[in-house]
Amino acid sequence: MMRQLDYHTIRQIFTRFQEADPAPKGELDHVNAYTLLVAVALSAQATDAGVNRATKDLFPVVDTPQKMLDLGEEGLIEHIRTIGLYRNKAKNVMKLSQILVDDYGGEVPNSRAALQSLPGVGRKTANVVLNMWWRYPAQAVDTHIFRVGNRTGIAPGKNVDIVERAIEDNIPADFQLHAHHWLILHGRYHCKARKPLCPTCIIRDLCPFEEKTL
């Protein structure tokens, strides 16, 4: 496992991320908190681009839990059948929509515990919603962030929970709000799994990754 970078180096890294992209945004299309929650739930083991294609015609007309219930499970499946595990995801979306209507007045709760109590919503999904909608400095660790955290030494850890805590502990507070977006975008487009684009990486000189590509 990569050694932990020092505070000064981590601050330099995130200063560069901020200069390159001052206001990074998630790439899942949504129109409100509910459609964001659904989009993130659908994105498990799927690409953001694939989810956006599936929801392009859905979210303009189905943007509340009640409208989703009115559409029905089979109606939802017609929109999302191109997404992996679509049947199970459709079941979870219908269940969570019913709970939101019954228990939360049709509103999406802004508590991690309440979000995680919903079917198909894990800690990562809850953190994405908290961060993107309510601008809470929650860190949603996916495969990209796990890889970047370990490769760079910004947030090393053997599992996603350890990496999440390391991000919270090691990244300066003024970068916490956008930290997970900077890391996920860096992992998605630059620090790729099989062939990272090290020659054009803006933090190449600060990164201790020994297997840099030429």
Side-chain angles (χ1 to χ4, degrees), residues 4-5 9 14 19 37 45-46 48-49 52 67 88 90 93 95-96 102 124 136-137 142 164 195 201 212:
Q4 171 67 56
L5 285 182
T9 303
F14 280 88
E19 289 171 349
L37 174 63
Q45 300 179 48
D48 287 0
N52 289 341
K67 288 179 183 177
N88 192 52
V93 168
K95 288 178 183 174
L96 72 82
D102 292 345
K124 184 180 79 171
Y136 180 79
D142 69 349
E164 181 183 332
K195 193 175 182 182
C201 176
K212 289 190 178 80

Side-chain angles (χ1 to χ4, degrees), residues 148-211:
V148 173
N150 277 289
R151 267 186 186 168
T152 61
I154 292 171
K158 294 180 180 179
N159 59 53
V160 295
D161 293 331
I162 295 174
V163 170
E164 181 183 332
R165 285 197 297 273
I167 291 172
E168 293 172 345
D169 290 345
N170 303 333
I171 295 174
D174 48 324
F175 295 120
Q176 284 281 332
L177 178 60
H178 294 311
H180 112 266
H181 280 133
W182 280 318
L183 291 171
I184 194 172
L185 293 171
H186 189 65
R188 184 174 289 164
Y189 297 111
H190 300 284
C191 196
K192 299 180 180 182
R194 293 185 180 176
K195 193 175 182 182
L197 307 180
C198 299
T200 57
C201 176
I202 63 173
I203 63 168
R204 178 185 173 91
D205 59 313
L206 301 173
C207 174
F209 183 52
E210 293 180 357
E211 300 170 38

Side-chain angles (χ1 to χ4, degrees), residues 44-172:
Q45 300 179 48
T47 65
D48 287 0
V51 173
N52 289 341
R53 283 193 296 272
T55 60
K56 178 170 62 74
D57 297 325
L58 176 67
F59 288 162
V61 292
V62 179
D63 58 0
T64 69
Q66 187 58 58
K67 288 179 183 177
M68 187 66 76
L69 294 174
D70 294 341
L71 176 67
E73 188 174 323
E74 290 304 315
L76 175 58
I77 284 173
E78 286 305 307
H79 285 276
I80 68 168
R81 61 171 63 252
T82 56
I83 301 175
L85 307 175
Y86 67 89
R87 287 196 179 279
N88 192 52
K89 290 176 180 178
K91 282 185 169 57
N92 283 333
V93 168
M94 302 313 292
K95 288 178 183 174
L96 72 82
S97 298
Q98 189 69 63
I99 292 171
L100 292 178
V101 168
D102 292 345
D103 298 345
Y104 297 97
E107 299 294 325
V108 176
N110 62 351
S111 130
R112 181 185 284 122
L115 286 166
Q116 284 188 247
S117 72
L118 299 171
V121 178
R123 186 178 179 88
K124 184 180 79 171
T125 297
N127 281 350
V128 172
V129 175
L130 290 171
N131 181 277
M132 288 181 63
W133 193 257
W134 283 288
R135 298 182 67 78
Y136 180 79
Q139 308 301 334
V141 179
D142 69 349
T143 56
H144 297 299
I145 295 178
F146 184 80
R147 178 174 67 254
V148 173
N150 277 289
R151 267 186 186 168
T152 61
I154 292 171
K158 294 180 180 179
N159 59 53
V160 295
D161 293 331
I162 295 174
V163 170
E164 181 183 332
R165 285 197 297 273
I167 291 172
E168 293 172 345
D169 290 345
N170 303 333
I171 295 174

